[in-house]
Amino acid sequence: MQQLKYYIFITFLLIVNHHFSFSQNNSDTLIVSQDYVLILNFHLESAQWEGNVEDEVTKFLNSTHLSNVFAEHIKAIDITTPELLKQEQDRILKKYLNRPRAVIFVGPAALPMFAECLNRHWPDVPIINSIAQKYTIPLEKYFQETPLEYDDNLSPITEEDIKKKYNITGIFAHNSLKEIVELMLLVLPDMNHLVFISDERIGSIIVRQRLKSIIAKDYPNLSMEFITAGEYSLNDMFSRVASFDFKTGIFYHSWSVKGKDADSYFIWNNMYKNIGQASKVPVFVSWDMNTAKGYIAGGVFNRMIDLSNKTIEVLKQVLAGTNPRDIPYQTIDKEKRYLNYSNLASYHSSKIKFPKDVYYFSKPENALYTYRYELFFIFIVIVFIILYCVQRIHFLNKAKEKQKKELDYQKELQHQIGLRNFKLALSLEVSTINPWVWNLSNKSIYFDDVKQIMENPNNPTNLLMYSEEDFLSWIYSEDKDRMMNIFYNLRNGKSNYLKEECRLLMPQRDEKYSWYMIQAVTYEKDYLGKPITLVGTMTLITETKELELELIKARDAAQESDRLKSKFLANLSHEIRTPLNAIVGFSGVLANSEDIEERKELADIVKHNNKLLLSLINDILEISKIESGAAEFNFSAFEVNAVLNDLKDSFLEEVDKKVSINLDMPLNELFIYSEKTKIRQVLNRLMSNAAKFTREGSITIGYYKPVNDVIRFFIKDTGCGIPEEQLQTVFGRFVKLNTFEQGTGLGLSVAQLIVEKLNGQIGVFSEFRNGSEFWFEIPYNESNRQAVLIGDNSKHNHIDRNLPDIKILVAEDSQSNYAILCSMMDPNCQLLHAWNGKEAVEMFSSFKPDLVLMDIKMPKMDGYSAVAEIRKLSTTVPIVAMSAYAFDDDRERLIQKGFDEYEPKPIDKNKLSNILNKIYKNKKMA
């Protein structure tokens, strides 16, 4: 009678709980949110499982404010006809006016009942199927009035097919029925009878049939009993549950019954608690039913919190903009075995065991209590062993002498084995070879442990064992697919030999991936001819491989160098031939022309192309000197403002009349210690570039105040600017962004090389049609006025003499070059010609000329040596160097050698005239 009252009270509580949940789920308030996530929960709202998907997703969205969240609880078991399903679909779609950011399905019935409807109403709406199934349950199965039957032909779901139809992804949960049976047998070792409690829903039918198949195949000695809702009343079920002993294991899946107040089904979500309390033996489940709270013994499953976390992880990607179709189906980590220690201990029976390798809830810390039966058994065994040993001592003494002889023999044999192992280990250590044996039967690989053999050579089993999975994890990702195919062919008998190179990260040996030569052959085969054992070696070849890679790099570098050289020569040939063609062509026309104006025009063209050709050669020689390290960098103190003023003055006649040149110098004086000549050269090239492309507006030359020991120079213009796609190529060699403009395309390359040699950097800002700003930065070494003055006083004094006539000594070994000079000279000048340096010294001593024009490379005595001898005779006479050396640093070097001026070949008549006029003025002033 007392038991009947207990069942009636439980039934009342469950019915009240069901109706309360039902009433809470019928709110049809209109939802007009523009930003929300919709959860369609096909479990009852009253389910209080820890970490359920709806609660965890709601807490996540509320805490992060990523989106609003609304949940609908749909009782799939109440939807027994297509008409009822249509009513529920219409209710949802009318309630939620706007398209959600995502829809989350909870429960297996969601996909067949709502996916098609939502996809029609909200095309391609993002869907996350939180408890996905790997098979399709046809929708009509949910509407059958007759008892459902298990269908072996349930359509399997493929990820590719379902994603073609819906914008969906899903999360699979494991359901390992066999492992649940294994856990029950571990806890109840005397179990010979299994009871499965379930209902007539399609999901339960599928699990019931799978369990039948597993028991029949793997546990033929285990009898089964099914307690199914509809076949048993609630009271009969509880009575039957209460009658089982510890030879019976209870597996609870679900329980639903037909309601008395309506033609529908409802799930009692607290049924597992009541069954656990009514049963005299532990109750097991296949999914998370609050095992931590102790209502049931345990089971094998993924916890609800793990499913919720995986759902939230996928939801984050969807809210960030990723289509579910682009997210692969997820699988929760492999399920674990869970037991509630307090629940099992409450039965107070020695027939219940506490297996290892199980996650326990409520486990006490007292190990003695936990293993009390095991400890008692061990104590009995120890007592028995002691008694047995006492009896055996007498017999052992008699066998001692015989054993000693055998041990002596074994010791000698062990010594020989140890000596052999030591020699083998020493050879392997020197040769970096690792022998191994691959046992394909147990999927294990054995390596000789060289270190252990060296330390303990007498142990014949110094082996390191690894699983196939471990070994394959050592392989570098880029080599893995190739090696997997080779191993597959070897282990399946498609090949008998392996010799392949790959990268491995061997434990306890390699700190990074190393190259190995892997060799293997088939050692043993089974009766079908398939390999069962492979033997082989792994040889470390990292050094050889690195040498091979270095050789490949050297070969590629040589090929690239050859390609660049060919390209450079091709560009050089083209650039030289362009002005040379004009010079040769117009020179011939000039010789045959009698019209003075035409001759003047042709002469200007030849002169212009001469200038282009000379500029090209200078740029090429400058690049060659810098890259070969032959360029000299002479650092000195100088004042920056003076350099910029000189630069401005030198370009006043070069720029267009509509262009003004401005200076931006934030400091009144700025003294630095650097390479003045090279900086002027860079500024000159940048200024020349700006003048070429600026037709009107202004060009600004300047610098910024030094910051952090760096000074930045800039040249801004209002010219045509540079398109953005060409900014990266402006400093390339022979790059001419405007092919119609004159120039070699090397000026900016030379500037870049010089700046980099000064440990600086160069760049450009530009906007097409709105001008450009070229800049470069170099280290700032502060100097002062005194250092600049000292440097200026060290130069040679210019001529200051009174001469009645100008007498010029020309030291030149080329008759044609001397003839050119004669044509340039004023008729009033008296010319003296020396064919070499030695003759020039002798003629200077005899004729005392007012000016010496000295070539550098001459026979018998070069220009440097001749100047040194002349300076012994006179320190004031002006000596002008004439040379093919054409760089700014060449001028500085020549002046240091005793020259006063420097005029590079080909000689510029205007510059030479300026030198003669200066001497003539000095004569007139005398």
Side-chain angles (χ1 to χ4, degrees):
M1 187 66 184
Q2 185 68 25
Q3 189 178 33
L4 179 61
K5 290 180 180 179
Y6 172 75
Y7 294 147
I8 293 173
F9 176 71
I10 290 174
T11 304
F12 173 76
L13 290 178
L14 293 173
I15 293 174
V16 169
N17 179 58
H18 164 73
H19 285 287
F20 178 76
S21 299
F22 182 83
S23 65
Q24 294 295 316
N25 195 40
N26 282 335
S27 174
D28 287 328
T29 304
L30 190 64
I31 304 299
V32 294
S33 175
Q34 296 287 343
D35 180 6
Y36 70 99
V37 173
L38 177 61
I39 302 176
L40 297 183
N41 188 356
F42 283 71
H43 292 158
L44 285 185
E45 185 178 7
S46 59
Q48 297 301 314
W49 301 313
E50 181 182 0
N52 70 77
V53 174
E54 178 190 338
D55 289 348
E56 296 301 318
V57 170
T58 301
K59 284 192 291 184
F60 164 71
L61 291 176
N62 289 338
S63 64
T64 59
H65 305 291
L66 292 176
S67 180
N68 296 321
V69 58
F70 300 99
E72 290 292 332
H73 301 87
I74 300 171
K75 296 185 285 297
I77 54 177
D78 286 343
I79 302 174
T80 57
T81 66
E83 291 76 15
L84 291 175
L85 175 60
K86 183 67 167 59
Q87 292 177 11
E88 191 66 11
Q89 291 173 347
D90 291 344
R91 181 183 73 81
I92 297 298
L93 297 178
K94 289 178 181 178
K95 182 175 179 179
Y96 296 89
L97 295 183
N98 297 312
R99 175 191 177 100
R101 292 180 66 182
V103 178
I104 300 177
F105 287 161
V106 182
L111 183 65
M113 287 189 173
F114 267 78
E116 185 64 30
C117 165
L118 296 183
N119 202 47
R120 284 198 309 270
H121 189 70
W122 296 316
D124 220 33
V125 64
I127 300 174
I128 302 173
N129 195 8
S130 182
I131 308 180
Q133 303 290 333
K134 294 188 177 180
Y135 50 83
T136 301
I137 301 177
L139 187 59
E140 58 267 23
K141 292 286 187 181
Y142 290 92
F143 302 142
Q144 291 184 195
E145 294 183 0
T146 58
L148 301 173
E149 294 182 359
Y150 176 73
D151 185 2
D152 286 325
N153 296 318
L154 289 174
S155 302
I157 292 178
T158 66
E159 185 175 346
E160 180 180 359
D161 291 339
I162 197 168
K163 286 192 173 185
K164 287 181 180 177
K165 193 172 184 181
Y166 307 114
N167 186 14
I168 192 170
T169 189
I171 297 99
F172 292 122
H174 297 279
N175 191 358
S176 301
L177 300 178
K178 182 177 179 180
E179 293 190 12
I180 295 174
V181 176
E182 290 287 349
L183 180 62
M184 296 172 71
L185 290 169
L186 290 174
V187 176
L188 301 170
D190 295 334
M191 186 181 82
N192 57 19
H193 185 64
L194 188 148
V195 176
F196 183 70
I197 301 175
S198 62
D199 51 37
E200 286 296 328
R201 292 180 299 149
I202 185 64
S204 298
I205 294 172
I206 293 172
V207 174
R208 191 157 58 238
Q209 294 300 330
R210 285 179 56 205
L211 187 62
K212 279 183 181 179
S213 176
I214 291 171
I215 296 300
K217 178 181 177 181
D218 299 321
Y219 307 95
N221 296 326
L222 194 63
S223 63
M224 285 197 69
E225 178 180 346
F226 295 95
I227 299 178
T228 306
E231 298 177 1
Y232 280 72
S233 68
L234 189 63
N235 289 336
D236 290 341
M237 182 270 288
F238 277 118
S239 297
R240 184 61 179 152
V241 166
S243 67
F244 295 125
D245 59 16
F246 289 98
K247 293 184 178 181
T248 301
I250 299 177
F251 184 173
Y252 172 71
H253 182 262
S254 63
W255 185 272
S256 63
V257 298
K258 204 167 191 178
K260 296 179 181 180
D261 55 342
D263 188 19
S264 63
Y265 282 80
F266 65 90
I267 299 176
W268 284 349
N269 294 300
N270 293 318
M271 183 63 70
Y272 66 94
K273 301 179 184 177
N274 302 301
I275 292 176
Q277 292 174 354
S279 174
K280 297 177 182 177
V281 297
V283 178
F284 298 82
V285 294
S286 62
W287 50 297
D288 189 6
M289 296 184 185
N290 284 337
T291 307
K293 295 185 177 180
Y295 298 109
I296 56 174
V300 181
F301 47 76
N302 294 118
R303 298 195 66 189
M304 290 298 293
I305 190 65
D306 296 329
L307 174 63
S308 301
N309 290 338
K310 183 64 75 171
T311 303
I312 291 171
E313 178 182 328
V314 174
L315 179 60
K316 288 179 182 178
Q317 298 181 55
V318 173
L319 294 181
T322 305
N323 276 328
R325 186 177 284 114
D326 299 327
I327 303 174
Y329 267 52
Q330 309 287 309
T331 301
I332 306 176
D333 295 337
K334 184 174 175 59
E335 69 278 20
K336 297 179 181 177
R337 299 187 294 181
Y338 295 93
L339 291 174
N340 189 288
Y341 193 95
S342 299
N343 181 279
L344 293 177
S346 66
Y347 293 101
H348 305 289
S349 172
S350 61
K351 297 182 181 296
I352 294 177
K353 304 301 178 184
F354 294 80
K356 298 179 181 179
D357 300 324
V358 175
Y359 184 86
Y360 284 97
F361 297 103
S362 306
K363 184 176 180 179
E365 297 181 357
N366 189 345
L368 292 176
Y369 176 80
T370 304
Y371 300 104
R372 59 191 183 279
Y373 299 111
E374 289 85 351
L375 292 174
F376 177 75
F377 175 77
I378 292 173
F379 174 76
I380 296 299
V381 170
I382 290 174
V383 172
F384 177 80
I385 291 174
I386 292 173
L387 294 175
Y388 176 79
C389 289
V390 170
Q391 294 177 1
R392 289 289 297 172
I393 288 175
H394 177 69
F395 298 101
L396 292 176
N397 288 333
K398 291 183 178 180
K400 195 172 184 179
E401 185 176 352
K402 182 179 179 181
Q403 289 177 345
K404 185 176 182 302
K405 293 180 180 179
E406 184 175 354
L407 287 174
D408 290 339
Y409 171 76
Q410 292 291 339
K411 184 176 180 180
E412 178 61 25
L413 181 61
Q414 194 74 9
H415 174 72
Q416 295 298 326
I417 293 174
L419 185 61
R420 183 206 64 187
N421 287 342
F422 186 83
K423 290 187 290 184
L424 174 62
L426 187 61
S427 301
L428 294 178
E429 185 70 18
V430 173
S431 63
T432 64
I433 297 176
N434 291 298
W436 53 270
V437 176
W438 192 333
N439 189 321
L440 299 177
S441 301
N442 62 12
K443 297 183 177 180
S444 298
I445 301 175
Y446 302 88
F447 289 88
D448 287 334
D449 188 348
V450 176
K451 182 178 179 181
Q452 289 295 327
I453 294 175
M454 297 286 286
E455 295 177 354
N456 187 13
N458 292 322
N459 184 359
T461 60
N462 281 313
L463 297 174
L464 295 174
M465 184 186 76
Y466 298 96
S467 66
E468 282 186 13
E469 184 179 357
D470 289 337
F471 176 72
L472 296 176
S473 69
W474 301 345
I475 303 176
Y476 189 58
S477 58
E478 294 181 3
D479 300 334
K480 182 163 290 187
D481 290 343
R482 173 171 57 87
M483 297 304 297
M484 290 288 286
N485 290 333
I486 294 172
F487 289 146
Y488 176 82
N489 293 334
L490 194 62
R491 69 183 300 161
N492 286 279
K494 295 182 179 181
S495 62
N496 295 318
Y497 183 74
L498 160 66
K499 185 176 182 181
E500 197 70 26
E501 297 176 355
C502 74
R503 285 160 287 189
L504 300 175
L505 183 63
M506 292 188 65
Q508 300 177 351
R509 176 158 190 164
D510 298 331
E511 296 181 357
K512 61 180 181 179
Y513 282 99
S514 301
W515 281 96
Y516 286 87
M517 170 65 75
I518 300 181
Q519 295 177 279
V521 294
T522 302
Y523 179 69
E524 291 181 298
K525 296 183 179 181
D526 60 14
Y527 67 96
L528 295 176
K530 293 191 67 174
I532 57 175
T533 304
L534 307 175
V535 296
T537 60
M538 294 198 314
T539 306
L540 184 65
I541 59 169
T542 299
E543 292 184 3
T544 304
K545 201 68 179 178
E546 288 176 349
L547 179 59
E548 177 184 331
L549 293 175
E550 288 298 326
L551 291 174
I552 292 174
K553 288 180 181 178
R555 181 202 64 191
D556 294 342
Q559 291 176 346
E560 178 66 10
S561 176
D562 186 62
R563 185 187 68 80
L564 292 175
K565 181 182 69 175
S566 299
K567 181 179 178 181
F568 178 79
L569 291 175
N571 286 330
L572 180 60
S573 174
H574 174 269
E575 294 297 333
I576 288 177
R577 288 176 182 275
T578 300
L580 193 58
N581 180 60
I583 294 170
V584 173
F586 285 109
S587 295
V589 177
L590 180 62
N592 297 322
S593 176
E594 297 180 356
D595 188 324
I596 296 177
E597 290 299 325
E598 184 181 9
R599 288 170 65 87
K600 184 177 182 303
E601 183 179 351
L602 293 173
D604 288 341
I605 294 175
V606 172
K607 180 180 178 181
H608 178 69
N609 282 277
N610 279 335
K611 184 177 179 181
L612 287 178
L613 183 59
L614 181 61
S615 176
L616 172 63
I617 294 173
N618 285 341
D619 287 342
I620 293 171
L621 293 176
E622 184 74 38
I623 290 174
S624 300
K625 286 184 66 176
I626 293 174
E627 290 186 339
S628 65
E632 295 183 3
F633 286 75
N634 300 309
F635 286 75
S636 62
F638 64 93
E639 205 276 314
V640 173
N641 291 355
V643 173
L644 298 187
N645 275 300
D646 290 345
L647 181 66
K648 174 184 176 182
D649 294 341
S650 65
F651 272 90
L652 287 176
E653 299 298 326
E654 299 287 337
V655 299
D656 204 286
K657 292 181 179 181
K658 297 180 181 180
V659 179
S660 62
I661 301 179
N662 303 320
L663 293 175
D664 185 357
M665 300 181 293
L667 301 176
N668 294 330
E669 288 183 333
L670 178 61
F671 297 95
I672 68 171
Y673 184 82
S674 188
E675 222 297 358
K676 177 181 178 181
T677 303
K678 296 299 183 185
I679 292 175
R680 287 186 58 166
Q681 190 174 351
V682 174
L683 288 169
N684 188 73
R685 292 179 184 276
L686 297 182
M687 185 63 188
S688 177
N689 187 73
K692 186 185 302 181
F693 294 101
T694 306
R695 302 306 180 197
E696 59 181 359
S698 64
I699 299 175
T700 303
I701 312 167
Y703 61 88
Y704 297 101
K705 291 181 179 180
V707 177
N708 297 328
D709 294 330
V710 172
I711 181 171
R712 172 178 283 202
F713 294 88
F714 63 85
I715 292 182
K716 301 179 183 177
D717 64 66
T718 58
C720 60
I722 304 171
E724 182 178 355
E725 64 273 12
Q726 295 179 335
L727 282 175
Q728 301 300 322
T729 64
V730 293
F731 293 103
R733 297 179 185 178
F734 297 108
V735 172
K736 295 170 65 176
L737 303 184
N738 185 349
T739 57
F740 297 102
E741 288 288 346
Q742 293 289 350
T744 65
L746 290 174
L748 294 180
S749 296
V750 174
Q752 184 182 40
L753 284 174
I754 293 173
V755 171
E756 290 175 351
K757 286 293 183 180
L758 292 173
N759 296 322
Q761 56 182 346
I762 190 170
V764 59
F765 306 119
S766 184
E767 184 177 352
F768 189 48
R769 294 195 177 94
N770 287 320
S772 304
E773 177 185 346
F774 281 84
W775 58 268
F776 66 93
E777 293 177 344
I778 59 172
Y780 169 64
N781 298 309
E782 186 176 1
S783 185
N784 53 49
R785 180 188 297 274
Q786 186 64 26
V788 175
L789 293 177
I790 292 172
D792 289 341
N793 291 335
S794 64
K795 297 180 180 179
H796 292 290
N797 293 325
H798 289 292
I799 187 170
D800 184 13
R801 296 184 55 195
N802 298 321
L803 293 174
D805 296 307
I806 295 179
K807 188 186 301 180
I808 302 174
L809 172 61
V810 179
E812 174 62 66
D813 62 333
S814 171
Q815 178 61 41
S816 59
N817 287 342
Y818 177 72
I820 292 173
L821 281 172
C822 290
S823 66
M824 294 179 179
M825 291 298 177
D826 191 289
N828 296 324
C829 295
Q830 180 183 354
L831 296 183
L832 303 172
H833 184 202
W835 290 92
N836 54 64
K838 183 177 180 182
E839 187 176 339
V841 175
E842 294 172 352
M843 293 182 70
F844 181 86
S845 177
S846 301
F847 296 101
K848 302 295 189 293
D850 301 307
L851 173 67
V852 179
L853 300 179
M854 180 74 71
D855 188 22
I856 299 301
K857 288 192 175 182
M858 294 183 296
K860 296 186 179 180
M861 182 183 291
D862 62 19
Y864 294 121
S865 301
V867 168
E869 294 298 322
I870 291 173
R871 284 302 177 205
K872 294 178 182 179
L873 302 174
S874 173
T875 59
T876 57
V877 65
I879 305 177
V880 178
M882 298 186 302
S883 172
Y885 297 125
F887 304 105
D888 290 341
D889 57 347
D890 295 326
R891 179 181 184 277
E892 298 294 333
R893 185 175 69 254
L894 289 167
I895 290 175
Q896 292 175 4
K897 293 289 186 179
F899 291 90
D900 291 275
E901 275 297 341
Y902 160 67
E903 181 62 29
K905 294 180 180 179
I907 303 299
D908 188 297
K909 182 178 179 181
N910 293 330
K911 292 183 179 180
L912 183 60
S913 296
N914 290 335
I915 295 173
L916 296 177
N917 289 335
K918 182 177 180 181
I919 296 173
Y920 181 72
K921 287 178 181 179
N922 288 336
K923 174 187 171 187
K924 296 285 284 183
M925 291 172 62

